[in-house]
Amino acid sequence: MGAIDDLAGNNRRFAAAYGRGHLDVRPSLRLAIVTCMDSRLDVFAALGLEDGQAHILRNAGGVITDDVIRSLAISQRRLGTVEVALIHHTDCGLQMITDDGFRAELQEATGMAPSFAIESFTDVDEDVRQSIARVRHSPFLLHRSEVRGFVYDVDTGALREVESDAAVLGGG
Ligand SMILES: [Zn+2]
């Protein structure tokens, strides 16, 4: 039996004790968080978040891809969020590969070059700044000035804010 069976069993106990009732589909903090899929980052615990308060978008690296922009556009235009927090982290899996190397590996294994960008990085602060810039420059988003970026330390649990070059980018 795989892990999923255990988790489905856990859910039966969770649902039996569930007392929250119905929450509004619109996040009460009017906040969207984009972060990495990393298994060590418990976003709710690390930020003191509760259910119903924020949208959480996760992928490998917390990268601002077209699909993340799609989600943010819906989050802002239909579900009322106005702020965006980006949380990258130390010891990320994307620091262990290179774009060219992983792309070649996929192509050699499958005979197809992937259509997506790999988005590996070496400097996490620079990666956060690039993600902030992508949000700030997206024409599909309504609210692009309240975007802040952080690095989460997976060994200490501490969050550190990354200074963005918003002035250079012109904000917006
Ligand atoms: Zn990561």
Side-chain angles (χ1 to χ4, degrees):
M1 285 296 166
I4 295 172
D5 285 322
D6 293 338
L7 300 184
N10 292 344
N11 175 259
R12 284 189 281 277
R13 286 185 289 281
F14 173 79
Y18 194 81
R20 215 161 300 149
H22 181 75
L23 298 173
D24 195 324
V25 65
R26 292 165 296 186
S28 62
L29 296 181
R30 306 185 75 190
L31 167 69
I33 298 169
V34 184
T35 190
C36 186
M37 66 184 184
D38 195 276
S39 66
R40 299 161 294 184
L41 174 46
D42 181 339
V43 178
F44 284 80
L47 301 178
L49 267 181
E50 294 177 9
D51 291 348
Q53 292 187 324
H55 283 145
I56 317 286
L57 315 179
R58 304 189 77 154
N59 63 27
V63 176
I64 305 298
T65 60
D66 284 350
D67 191 61
V68 167
I69 293 293
R70 176 187 73 89
S71 294
L72 288 175
I74 294 164
S75 177
Q76 294 192 347
R77 291 176 179 272
R78 286 293 179 276
L79 298 169
T81 68
V82 296
E83 289 184 85
V84 182
L86 311 176
I87 304 178
H88 295 201
H89 66 95
T90 59
D91 193 34
C92 186
L94 281 179
Q95 292 170 300
M96 300 171 187
I97 60 173
T98 64
D99 280 32
D100 288 348
F102 196 64
R103 176 174 295 280
E105 181 181 327
L106 293 177
Q107 186 157 8
E108 281 163 24
T110 66
M112 291 189 297
S115 58
F116 46 83
I118 306 300
E119 306 273 12
S120 66
F121 63 90
T122 51
D123 182 328
V124 66
D125 283 37
E126 194 49 47
D127 198 53
V128 170
R129 280 190 285 270
Q130 172 165 254
S131 296
I132 292 171
R134 286 186 189 178
V135 173
R136 287 190 188 281
H137 288 124
S138 174
F140 301 113
L141 304 181
L142 286 175
H143 307 286
R144 297 179 292 174
S145 55
E146 293 303 317
V147 49
R148 293 166 64 180
F150 300 84
V151 174
Y152 177 81
D153 187 320
V154 297
D155 295 319
T156 68
L159 209 58
R160 172 174 62 79
E161 184 157 12
V162 174
E163 286 298 312
S164 78
D165 34 7
V168 177
L169 294 167

